[in-house]
Amino acid sequence: MGKKHHQKAIESLAQRITEHQEKIRLESEKSFPDEGLIKHWEKEIRAFDKAIQQARKRLGQ
């Protein structure tokens, strides 16, 4: 896979992290936030972050 592919993947994953952080913020503001849902999003954020690190590693960053 080429450099462009990895760069696009990093950008996409960064966007997903931002979206999930916003979901967590909105859920946390509720009177009775769904802790299970928040934990799920946090787990996905960690997975996205790991994938970004792997893509950067492949790019030699």
Side-chain angles (χ1 to χ4, degrees):
M1 289 187 241
K3 184 177 181 178
K4 215 172 198 176
H5 171 82
H6 291 303
Q7 197 58 46
K8 190 170 173 87
I10 290 169
E11 291 168 13
S12 175
L13 289 163
Q15 178 63 36
R16 299 281 313 273
I17 288 172
T18 302
E19 290 168 2
H20 277 50
Q21 287 170 334
E22 179 66 7
K23 289 178 184 180
I24 290 169
R25 187 185 68 77
L26 292 172
E27 188 66 29
S28 296
E29 290 176 354
K30 293 182 179 178
S31 300
F32 299 100
D34 184 337
E35 294 298 326
L37 198 51
I38 291 171
K39 285 197 185 325
H40 169 73
W41 287 326
E42 288 171 341
K43 186 177 178 183
E44 285 195 332
I45 287 172
R46 286 192 297 276
F48 297 153
D49 192 44
K50 187 175 179 182
I52 287 172
Q53 289 176 15
Q54 288 175 336
R56 285 190 174 139
K57 192 174 176 182
R58 289 186 189 111
L59 287 173
Q61 294 180 351

